[in-house]
Amino acid sequence: AQSVTQPDIHITVSEGASLELRCNYSYGATPYLFWYVQSPGQGLQLLLKYFSGDTLVQGIKGFEAEFKRSQSSFNLRKPSVHWSDAAEYFCAVGAENNDMRFGAGTRLTVKP
Amino acid sequence: EPEVTQTPSHQVTQMGQEVILRCVPISNHLYFYWYRQILGQKVEFLVSFYNNEISEKSEIFDDQFSVERPDGSNFTLKIRSTKLEDSAMYFCASSNPGGRRAEQYFGPGTRLTVT
């Protein structure tokens, strides 16, 4: 069955520091992978997606993610975090039945 | 930029009452979805809808739930007899095209509180 695991429930980083949020997926076929961000009281905004091709994908707000098939991972990175990046981040996989399977989310706190 | 809208932003209802959550998908999208997020938990798929019928539904989407596209713009989720455990944030999404590759655009959500 399709599933997504985000091992880190909560991460705290200092403003200006680099960030990596982990995501592991389980899916039998070619995965279609997404990262969404949810600010407090807001809906889900797409940061980036991977369908095929270059395994390093660029997204909005300076985020990037790398697809590693051998590790079944799709980790999200940002070289320098801004205070406005504080939010909940969800990794998701597009599944067979037209639905989207989400990970449990990682809450990012940014220290001044 | 087009966006998905949802009303109301917060709905409080008593157990056993019917509620209707409303969504206006992006106008040229053909695929519609409902998800829910119980507080502190992951976002869970409920149902997808295409061509005026349900495409897929999860185990959560039992007989208490129904969806409808009553006109050319609205997409609704009805819960017939709410239970305490229905308290959650409900997200509507739309996409074009559909399927696994679909980039789904999410609304801001409706927070449903069942007392």
Side-chain angles (χ1 to χ4, degrees):
Chain A
Q2 309 93 331
S3 67
V4 176
T5 302
Q6 293 180 248
D8 304 305
I9 296 173
H10 184 202
I11 283 183
T12 299
V13 299
S14 298
E15 191 169 14
S18 64
L19 170 71
E20 182 168 26
L21 302 182
R22 295 184 290 166
C23 171
N24 293 98
Y25 67 90
S26 172
Y27 191 70
T30 302
Y32 297 130
L33 297 161
F34 305 81
W35 273 100
Y36 283 86
V37 61
Q38 183 183 28
S39 298
Q42 302 294 313
L44 297 161
Q45 181 184 23
L46 181 70
L47 285 175
L48 47 76
K49 60 190 175 187
Y50 170 79
F51 291 163
S52 64
D54 193 346
T55 56
L56 184 64
V57 293
Q58 302 298 319
I60 62 171
K61 304 184 179 186
F63 285 92
E64 65 178 25
E66 186 171 12
F67 170 63
K68 292 185 178 179
R69 185 184 296 275
S70 62
Q71 298 177 19
S72 297
S73 69
F74 188 57
N75 294 349
L76 182 71
R77 301 196 293 248
K78 186 169 184 178
S80 177
V81 169
H82 187 262
W83 64 267
S84 61
D85 294 324
E88 188 95 16
Y89 291 81
F90 293 94
C91 182
V93 60
E96 290 178 350
N97 297 324
N98 298 327
D99 63 2
M100 190 169 288
R101 303 292 173 91
F102 286 83
T106 297
R107 183 160 61 91
L108 174 65
T109 298
V110 180
K111 293 191 303 185
Chain B
E1 183 177 333
E3 59 183 16
V4 176
T5 59
Q6 291 184 243
T7 55
S9 57
H10 190 192
Q11 173 88 47
V12 181
T13 189
Q14 289 188 327
M15 193 168 52
Q17 296 296 304
E18 174 184 286
V19 294
I20 297 176
L21 309 183
R22 302 181 191 280
C23 168
V24 178
I26 293 174
S27 62
N28 64 340
H29 285 184
L30 301 177
Y31 298 81
F32 314 114
Y33 313 83
W34 282 102
Y35 293 81
R36 80 171 185 191
Q37 183 183 27
I38 295 172
L39 186 64
Q41 299 186 24
K42 67 172 66 177
V43 177
E44 300 172 291
F45 169 75
L46 292 178
V47 66
S48 61
F49 190 87
Y50 170 70
N51 200 26
N52 285 319
E53 61 182 25
I54 291 174
S55 304
E56 302 292 341
K57 59 183 181 180
S58 71
E59 294 175 352
I60 303 168
F61 194 88
D62 60 22
D63 292 343
Q64 292 298 313
F65 291 90
S66 63
V67 289
E68 191 178 30
R69 188 158 165 80
D71 53 43
S73 59
N74 290 284
F75 180 51
T76 62
L77 174 69
K78 181 192 291 185
I79 308 175
R80 289 189 182 83
S81 178
T82 51
K83 304 185 286 288
L84 294 177
E85 53 265 38
D86 293 327
S87 295
M89 182 75 88
Y90 288 81
F91 292 104
C92 173
S94 68
S95 72
N96 209 27
R100 294 196 298 129
R101 297 171 60 96
E103 176 179 335
Q104 297 183 17
Y105 292 79
F106 285 79
T110 292
R111 179 169 298 284
L112 176 65
T113 302
V114 182
T115 62

